[in-house]
């Protein structure tokens, strides 16, 4: 999961270094057998995320790799930011350029920084998102498409090109607020968890998602997968892994907390929770893991191969299909340490997990 | 990571003096609370001490309270605050306030470190608008804000963040964390109206409101909790926080 966070000061070339480091990480991940490289969409979030054009980043990633899937996590489904026609067009283009490797996440943004910056209607973002996910599969699959809706309308046109994947790329929704997983299930789309819940909470939400999606009225091809957000720093020595991984986790948490969340600034029914990407909500001690001694939150991919394997086994046991890892936070870890961590994880942890459902997917 | 760059000592002149941290909680029932948030030009990094982090974008908040009952009788209070973070937690740095009751002002200053000046506050609540205006004892306008066309919201929709009050305390010059619990019974949001704001009169003329975000009017029971923490203003909260009483 790439946020493309950029450390201050924003000297010339710093953003380029961050982007090039991230692309190198994806090339290495591709060679090591990782499944998907996700990249977020954010705007105006100084330091925290400079990833304002993930479709361009992912295009670069796609042409530099052979098998890893590219995930747009997620396109903000607000007309002031991304018109739905453009979302469909760009996604289809990226699916073609990547050879059918696109995963498309959808979202509605949770910060006033972004929503206010585009002068979008914070009260209506959920409604907008709902309309987007209902039209995107039709735009991709119908030869000609027309629409009269709430947030946009259009006369009949051919929306081009069409994606390679048939009937269309897998659709996801990012889940930060509790309850969005139910919205995902009802529409038959994947649950892209981006708030790091603990095991117990994630198990409850995953079970309910899987129960409910059996009864869904799908907006397109059903994607019934659950992914969670995590952080990865793997080192042979648990203490070293914990120290560096927790440094990354703490830095990310600080940068995240300085954003101005919509709920804080603009009272509305549409944001019942902060909806932020807060790491480490899980139990911190007494789980019986050696990681407890280092204060590593429950389920984090931080530590040595044994502790990380145990954590991911737990995620697997509660029905999670994918674990998405943040690899760095504002370059607090040097690039060589990030790459070493990836390689060690691939060598020591990945063999413990079965391949997944799709070709090329797995741990 | 972006942190405040103001010299801590720059916040000290005129800071309230607290002789102890031993205040009992204070409950003020049935208050009307008008709160407006507005983006400010240029951010707030230069306005905050190193203990605090600015929000992105920088935001000024005004809170106008109409307390129908209190140990000192009915009174009104207005505050100008800068939204910020202490570590990862949302906070509002109190720039200054105005209070209509000298007795209430003295107590709030001594017990919770409110930086308050005397003044007059009109608080008008109509069917389709709420308006508050704040004046100095000499009649000079300090603030005129309100909201129009209120719509009802769930009581939990309006957020109130804890304050941090620069004050001279028994521990030295500190940022005093003031937790004001708002048990909201009725909440409405309207279009924000900012008619007038004399930033310099509130003590920080670098605050330039540019983009109104929201305005809300709530009926709430407000409880000022016993003080728990203070923070040294010159260092981040992770190392600068000191406990002053059992939580």
């Amino acid at each position: 999961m790439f946020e493309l966070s950029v450390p201050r000061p924003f000297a010339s070339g710093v953003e380029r270094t961050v982007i090039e480091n991230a692309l190198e990480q994806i090339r290495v991940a591709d060679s090591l057998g990782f499944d998907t490289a996700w990249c977020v969409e954010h705007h105006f979030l100084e330091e925290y995320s400079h990833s304002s054009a993930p479709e361009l980043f992912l295009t670069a990633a796609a042409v530099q790799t052979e098998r890893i899937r590219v995930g747009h996590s997620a396109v903000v489904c607000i007309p002031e930011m991304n018109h739905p026609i453009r979302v469909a067009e760009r996604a289809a283009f990226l699916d073609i350029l990547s050879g059918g490797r696109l995963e498309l996440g959808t979202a509605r943004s949770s910060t006033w920084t972004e929503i206010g910056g585009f002068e979008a209607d914070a009260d209506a973002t959920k409604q907008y998102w709902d309309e987007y996910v209902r039209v995107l599969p039709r735009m991709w699959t119908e030869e000609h498409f027309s629409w009269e809706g709430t947030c946009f309308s259009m006369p009949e046109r051919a929306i081009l090109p069409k994606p390679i994947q048939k009937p269309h790329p897998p659709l996801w929704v990012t889940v930060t607020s509790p309850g969005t997983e139910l919205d995902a299930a009802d529409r038959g789309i994947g649950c892209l968890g981006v708030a790091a819940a603990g095991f117990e909470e994630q198990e409850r939400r995953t079970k309910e998602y899987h129960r409910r999606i059996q009864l869904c009225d799908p907006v397109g091809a059903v994607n019934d997968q659950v992914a969670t957000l995590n952080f990865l720093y793997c080192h042979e020595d648990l203490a070293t892994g914990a120290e560096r991984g927790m440094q990354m986790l703490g830095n990310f948490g600080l940068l995240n907390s300085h954003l101005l969340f919509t709920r804080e600034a603009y009272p509305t029914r549409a944001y019942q929770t902060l909806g932020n990407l807060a790491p480490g909500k899980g139990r911190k001690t007494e789980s019986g893991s050696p990681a407890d001694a280092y204060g590593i939150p429950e389920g984090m991919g931080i530590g040595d191969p044994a502790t990380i394997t145990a954590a991911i086994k737990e995620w697997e046991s509660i029905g999670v299909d994918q674990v998405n890892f943040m690899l760095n936070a504002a370059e607090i870890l040097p690039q060589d340490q990030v790459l070493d961590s990836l390689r060690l994880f691939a060598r020591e942890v990945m063999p413990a997990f079965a391949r997944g459902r799709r070709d090329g997917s797995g741990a | 990571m972006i942190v405040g760059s103001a010299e801590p000592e720059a916040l000290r002149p005129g800071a309230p003096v607290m002789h102890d941290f031993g205040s009992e909680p204070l409950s003020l029932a049935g208050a009307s609370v008008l709160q407006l948030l507005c983006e400010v030009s240029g951010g707030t990094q230069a306005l905050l001490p190193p203990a605090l982090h600015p929000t992105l974008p920088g935001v000024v908040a005004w809170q106008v309270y109409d307390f129908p009952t209190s140990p000192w009788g009915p009174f009104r209070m207005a505050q100008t605050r800068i939204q910020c973070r202490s570590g990862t937690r949302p906070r509002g740095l109190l720039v200054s306030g105005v209070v209509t009751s000298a007795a209430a002002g003295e107590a709030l200053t001594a017990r919770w470190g409110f930086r308050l000046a005397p003044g007059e506050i009109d608080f008008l609540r109509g069917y389709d608008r709420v308006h508050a205006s704040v004046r100095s004892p000499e009649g000079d306008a300090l603030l005129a804000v309100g909201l129009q066309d209120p719509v009802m919201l769930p009581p939990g929709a309006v957020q109130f963040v804890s304050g941090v009050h620069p004050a001279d305390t028994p521990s030295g010059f500190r940022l005093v964390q003031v937790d004001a619990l708002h048990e909201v019974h009725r909440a409405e949001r309207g279009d924000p109206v900012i008619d007038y704001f004399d930033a310099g009169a509130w003590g920080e003329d670098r605050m330039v409101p540019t983009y109104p975000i929201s305005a809300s009017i709530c009926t709430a029971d407000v409880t000022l909790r016993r003080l728990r923490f203070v923070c040294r203003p010159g260092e981040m909260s992770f190392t600068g926080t000191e406990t002053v009483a059992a939580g």
Side-chain angles (χ1 to χ4, degrees):
Chain A
M1 181 75 78
F2 292 91
E3 296 272 347
L4 303 181
S5 51
V6 177
R8 291 177 188 274
F10 301 145
S12 174
V14 172
E15 289 170 324
R16 180 174 181 173
T17 298
V18 168
I19 291 169
E20 288 181 346
N21 282 348
L23 287 170
E24 183 182 25
Q25 290 159 20
I26 293 173
R27 290 194 300 274
V28 170
D30 184 47
S31 70
L32 294 172
F34 282 80
D35 299 328
T36 309
W38 293 94
C39 185
V40 303
E41 177 182 336
H42 282 306
H43 303 274
F44 317 124
L45 305 187
E46 298 168 52
E47 202 168 11
Y48 174 76
S49 174
H50 292 213
S51 184
S52 53
E55 67 278 11
L56 297 180
F57 176 81
L58 291 169
T59 300
V63 300
Q64 293 179 23
T65 56
E66 294 180 356
R67 48 152 300 283
I68 197 167
R69 296 182 67 81
V70 289
H72 192 158
S73 60
V75 62
V76 183
C77 295
I78 294 177
E80 290 85 351
M81 297 191 197
N82 296 294
H83 193 283
I85 299 171
R86 297 285 288 133
V87 173
E89 291 172 339
R90 291 195 306 245
F93 230 106
L94 181 51
D95 196 48
I96 292 169
L97 289 171
S98 66
R101 289 186 277 152
L102 176 67
E103 307 273 334
L104 188 76
T106 59
R108 63 184 179 120
S109 186
S110 61
T111 70
W112 172 259
T113 316
E114 294 164 287
I115 291 173
F118 280 93
E119 297 197 314
D121 181 356
D123 296 314
T125 56
K126 194 93 179 190
Q127 187 181 7
Y128 294 157
W129 167 81
D130 191 29
E131 195 165 333
Y132 275 59
V133 299
R134 292 180 190 284
V135 301
L136 285 172
R138 293 184 53 191
M139 289 175 162
W140 286 326
T141 55
E142 295 179 10
E143 187 174 352
H144 294 93
F145 176 81
S146 64
W147 182 254
E148 285 189 32
T150 303
C151 76
F152 84 108
S153 298
M154 63 176 292
E156 188 171 285
R157 293 287 188 278
I159 295 177
L160 302 170
K162 300 300 185 191
I164 286 180
Q165 294 179 85
K166 300 301 177 192
H168 58 74
L171 262 183
W172 301 76
V173 59
T174 57
V175 177
T176 51
S177 304
T180 303
E181 71 275 10
L182 305 182
D183 296 329
D186 291 345
R187 291 157 183 77
I189 63 181
C191 183
L192 187 61
V194 292
F199 290 134
E200 192 175 329
E201 171 71 2
Q202 185 66 51
E203 182 171 26
R204 185 187 64 74
R205 291 165 70 170
T206 301
K207 276 185 177 169
E208 181 59 15
Y209 170 84
H210 283 309
R211 184 195 70 77
R212 197 141 161 170
I213 202 168
Q214 303 299 320
L215 311 170
C216 75
D217 179 13
V219 296
V222 172
N223 173 20
D224 63 352
Q225 297 179 88
V226 173
T228 62
L229 177 75
N230 209 309
F231 291 77
L232 177 62
Y233 187 74
C234 185
H235 194 276
E236 290 90 346
D237 175 56
L238 174 57
T240 305
E243 181 188 350
R244 293 176 183 171
M246 291 301 287
Q247 202 178 6
M248 168 177 60
L249 190 67
N251 198 40
F252 181 86
L254 264 178
L255 296 179
N256 172 260
S257 69
H258 299 160
L259 309 179
L260 187 63
F261 289 93
T262 303
R263 178 172 168 74
E264 179 186 347
Y266 184 85
T268 170
R269 295 174 189 273
Y271 290 88
Q272 300 286 332
T273 66
L274 280 183
N276 69 335
L277 209 162
K281 289 287 175 65
R283 187 176 63 244
K284 289 190 174 178
T285 57
E286 299 173 359
S287 69
S289 165
D292 291 348
Y294 298 95
I296 299 171
E298 179 184 73
M300 286 291 123
I302 290 172
D304 63 5
T307 57
I308 294 173
T309 300
I312 299 175
K313 283 286 183 189
E314 190 84 18
W315 290 118
E316 186 180 52
S317 74
I318 64 176
V320 166
D321 300 293
Q322 291 185 21
V323 180
N324 297 319
F325 294 110
M326 307 276 269
L327 304 178
N328 208 344
E331 306 298 282
I332 197 162
L333 298 176
Q335 175 77 342
D336 60 338
Q337 290 182 11
V338 175
L339 298 180
D340 287 346
S341 165
L342 278 175
R343 293 183 178 112
L344 180 62
F345 179 88
R347 191 170 65 244
E348 300 289 336
V349 179
M350 282 169 67
F353 297 91
R355 303 306 300 174
R357 286 176 295 181
R358 273 198 309 273
D359 182 32
S361 66
Chain B
M1 184 194 332
I2 188 167
V3 299
S5 60
E7 270 296 321
E9 285 299 314
L11 301 175
R12 195 164 191 175
V17 176
M18 300 175 66
H19 296 292
D20 63 69
F21 295 122
S23 285
E24 291 299 312
L26 171 67
S27 293
L28 300 165
S32 294
V33 191
L34 173 67
Q35 177 169 268
L36 280 89
L37 276 73
C38 182
E39 296 184 18
V40 296
S41 175
T44 55
Q45 182 178 18
L47 315 182
L48 299 170
L52 303 173
H53 309 267
T55 57
L56 297 170
V59 171
V60 60
W62 296 289
Q63 295 176 329
V64 184
Y65 289 87
D66 182 11
F67 295 112
T69 62
S70 84
W72 313 281
F75 76 98
R76 291 171 178 161
M77 179 174 68
Q79 300 182 58
T80 293
R81 312 202 310 182
I82 298 170
Q83 299 292 96
C84 57
R85 302 288 184 261
S86 173
T88 62
R89 302 193 182 276
R91 295 286 182 260
L93 174 70
L94 177 64
V95 177
S96 70
V98 167
V99 66
T100 59
S101 159
E106 286 173 16
L108 293 173
T109 297
R111 293 165 61 180
W112 284 278
F114 281 87
R115 182 193 294 243
L116 296 171
E120 299 298 322
I121 300 174
D122 292 331
F123 198 109
L124 305 173
R125 179 158 191 168
Y127 172 74
D128 62 346
R129 70 186 190 108
V130 178
H131 195 266
S133 57
V134 183
R135 299 182 306 281
S136 71
E138 295 76 31
D140 297 328
L142 304 175
L143 176 72
V145 294
L147 65 78
Q148 287 184 325
D149 301 326
V151 294
M152 197 73 77
L153 289 175
V158 179
Q159 300 294 295
F160 295 96
V161 303
S162 294
V164 283
H165 298 180
D168 273 309
T169 75
S171 303
F173 182 56
R174 295 289 187 270
L175 301 177
V176 179
Q177 178 181 317
V178 177
D179 300 318
L181 303 182
H182 291 68
E183 186 182 348
V184 177
H185 303 295
R186 177 188 171 99
E188 296 164 87
R189 187 195 72 218
D191 297 330
V193 176
I194 303 168
D195 291 326
Y196 185 78
F197 174 55
D198 183 346
W202 292 83
E204 182 49 85
D205 59 11
R206 292 174 292 177
M207 288 184 296
V208 181
T210 54
Y211 192 91
I213 300 173
S214 67
S216 60
I217 177 73
C218 294
T219 303
D221 297 335
V222 180
T223 300
L224 291 168
R225 294 180 62 182
R226 179 195 297 270
L227 296 175
R228 298 180 297 164
F229 304 108
V230 298
C231 186
R232 292 190 291 275
E235 57 186 292
M236 285 199 283
S237 64
F238 306 107
T239 57
T241 298
E242 301 163 342
T243 303
V244 297

